[in-house]
Amino acid sequence: SSDLNDDEHEITRKAYEQKNKIIENANDMAREISNGTRAYADNILAGVQVTLEDALKVIENNRKEVK
């Protein structure tokens, strides 16, 4: 009976270890996704910024011509 309890304890311990590894992997994946999402958003915003800066230059040049 003692051996059976030891086996059950070992199985339980290994199950908890596995559970912790799964949770750790899931957290790592979530962080990677979050970082990727932020990088993607920053890339899109950088493109919008360049477009707006170009448009502002056109407006400034047009205003100079009007004066």
Side-chain angles (χ1 to χ4, degrees):
S1 177
S2 177
D3 287 344
L4 186 58
N5 285 338
D6 288 346
D7 288 346
E8 287 176 359
H9 176 72
E10 184 64 16
I11 290 168
T12 302
R13 187 185 66 74
K14 286 185 178 182
Y16 275 107
E17 275 181 19
Q18 193 67 19
K19 175 200 71 144
N20 289 333
K21 285 180 185 175
I22 290 168
I23 291 170
E24 189 177 324
N25 287 340
N27 287 335
D28 288 345
M29 290 173 74
R31 260 192 259 30
E32 287 178 25
I33 290 168
S34 179
N35 290 340
T37 302
R38 289 176 188 194
Y40 175 76
D42 184 56
N43 193 35
I44 296 295
L45 289 172
V48 170
Q49 183 177 3
V50 168
T51 301
L52 290 173
E53 287 169 350
D54 290 346
L56 187 56
K57 287 175 189 168
V58 169
I59 292 168
E60 288 170 350
N61 289 336
N62 289 341
R63 286 191 67 210
K64 285 178 188 172
E65 290 177 11
V66 170
K67 289 184 180 180

